[in-house]
Amino acid sequence: MTPGARTLRPARRRALAAVATASALLLAACSAAPRPASPAAAGSVAEGLNAPWSVAFHEGVALVSERDSARVLELGDEGPREVGTIEGVVPGGEGGLLGLAVHEGELFTFFTAEGENRVERREIRGDAGALALGPATTVIDGIPAARTHNGGRIAFGPDGMLYVTAGDAGDRDSAQDPDALSGKILRLTPEGDVPDDNPVDGSPVWSLGHRNPQGIAWDADGTMYASEFGQDTWDELNVIEPGGNYGWPEVEGIAGNDDFIDPVQQWEPDAASPSGVAVIGADLVVANLRGERLRVVPLDDLGTSTELLQGELGRLRDVVAGPDGGVWVVTNNTDGRGSPRDGDDRIVRIDLD
């Protein structure tokens, strides 16, 4: 039995299955047909960034991670300013300084170190324009690392717990191994302890059967969503249940197998490669790398989507709700896989309405 399988609510699983079935009909062997739409013209928030990966906010100040330089930057009126460089980061391939999260005055960082992925936390010191970082405390280490499939997104849920996405690090079968940290979404206290109400006593595993999840977000009702890179056939949008098994490597995309939870929407990788996600108003917004587009999924109709910015900004790594009420989109054209344009990489602001 998979970790926490007994904790899955049958009614919820039936509802998800119904959504997945409807999605499969809409997808009709390719992907959900996008509805045409155009956002307001993009405005620049920051330019000249080096492979930015994640954005988090401390008292309204945007903090940005750069994957390869291991720098954390703060964005201000005078442009990006270095807050600190994370020691121990070993960049290579898709690894490096990845996800950021802020909680109660501390900065949490997910990064690739020597032979592992790790999450640390540091006190954020000073005021805007002069922020600095205190010494590091390890939250969790020993997460398998590789040149690809590191996961790397971290976020605090509405329950105050820290959620961590961990890719399979190239070891496909580990995603189904309940004792492995790879191919999972993990749930921890801010200090790194295992919460008492996790699916399996003493285990940080919240869900399993993931290939390379890179985006997590929650709606107002507390429902958790995750984006996931597939292999050659389907990328996925999943609704995450505690103890849920999402099938990799046994299945990819909507399979209709009762042993696994199907995605609520799937896309061909060349039109997607979904990374960061954010709930903004009544929509789930998904940043896509290879697909070079922003996808907007209405929360009341998870099998449909609208595509924005297709090909206009290049590869898109992250999307967040900005403190100015706009939607901030992070490009990723300087990561070695994109085609940099003047000013790349950048963060731009758009309005969905």
Side-chain angles (χ1 to χ4, degrees):
M1 179 173 289
T2 58
R6 294 185 298 272
T7 70
L8 289 174
R9 300 190 292 274
R12 180 62 171 164
R13 291 201 62 178
R14 287 195 296 271
L16 289 174
V19 171
T21 300
S23 297
L25 293 174
L26 285 168
L27 293 163
C30 55
S31 61
R35 293 171 289 146
S38 297
S44 178
V45 174
E47 296 185 353
L49 305 175
N50 176 18
W53 212 92
S54 182
V55 179
F57 295 95
H58 169 66
E59 297 179 352
V61 177
L63 300 175
V64 181
S65 62
E66 290 187 330
R67 187 191 69 184
D68 299 334
S69 71
R71 297 193 305 166
V72 176
L73 309 175
E74 66 169 307
L75 303 184
D77 294 338
E78 303 302 319
R81 172 191 169 272
E82 182 175 326
V83 173
T85 300
I86 303 302
E87 295 182 4
V89 174
V90 181
E94 296 173 1
L97 177 58
L98 305 180
L100 300 182
V102 172
H103 181 72
E104 295 184 350
E106 291 188 309
L107 178 68
F108 289 69
T109 56
F110 181 112
F111 64 91
T112 309
E114 186 66 44
E116 66 174 3
N117 285 309
R118 181 189 308 163
V119 178
E120 294 179 345
R121 59 189 174 96
R122 294 167 172 81
E123 180 186 5
I124 304 172
R125 298 172 174 173
D127 299 319
L131 295 179
L133 300 176
T137 299
T138 299
V139 177
I140 185 172
D141 55 12
I143 301 172
R147 289 187 62 82
T148 59
H149 305 182
N150 290 294
R153 194 70 59 184
I154 55 177
F156 281 88
D159 55 5
M161 296 295 113
L162 176 66
Y163 292 77
V164 180
T165 73
D168 68 10
D171 181 359
R172 296 160 52 104
D173 293 339
S174 70
Q176 290 293 323
D177 180 353
D179 296 322
L181 296 180
S182 46
K184 310 295 191 298
I185 295 177
L186 311 176
R187 179 177 182 257
L188 301 160
T189 69
E191 296 73 30
D193 298 322
V194 175
D196 292 338
D197 57 348
N198 268 16
V200 175
D201 288 344
S203 172
V205 173
W206 188 245
S207 60
L208 73 161
H210 299 289
R211 181 175 181 268
N212 192 20
Q214 279 198 3
I216 47 178
W218 293 260
D219 66 20
D221 295 328
T223 300
M224 183 179 180
Y225 304 89
S227 63
E228 182 163 340
F229 289 81
Q231 182 167 274
D232 300 317
T233 308
W234 298 117
D235 292 335
E236 300 178 355
L237 174 63
N238 288 298
V239 174
I240 302 300
E241 290 287 327
N245 189 330
Y246 291 82
W248 177 256
E250 302 302 320
V251 298
E252 181 181 352
I254 296 171
N257 185 326
D258 289 341
D259 292 335
F260 308 116
I261 299 178
D262 278 340
V264 293
Q265 192 167 159
Q266 63 185 16
W267 312 284
E268 293 179 343
D270 62 357
S273 299
S275 189
V277 304
V279 170
I280 299 176
D283 299 307
L284 182 76
V285 187
V286 186
N288 293 274
L289 291 162
R290 186 174 170 187
E292 297 188 353
R293 68 197 71 183
L294 200 66
R295 185 170 276 111
V296 182
V297 179
L299 293 172
D300 61 359
D301 192 2
L302 293 172
T304 65
S305 65
T306 299
E307 295 180 358
L308 309 176
L309 303 176
Q310 185 171 349
E312 294 180 23
L313 298 173
R315 292 161 56 84
L316 307 181
R317 173 65 73 180
D318 200 11
V319 56
V320 295
D324 55 5
V327 178
W328 288 16
V329 182
V330 181
T331 73
N332 210 173
N333 297 316
T334 59
D335 66 348
R337 294 183 176 180
S339 299
R341 312 173 188 201
D342 289 342
D344 278 342
D345 266 312
R346 68 187 75 218
I347 299 174
V348 299
R349 180 194 186 281
I350 67 169
D351 293 313
L352 293 183
D353 296 334

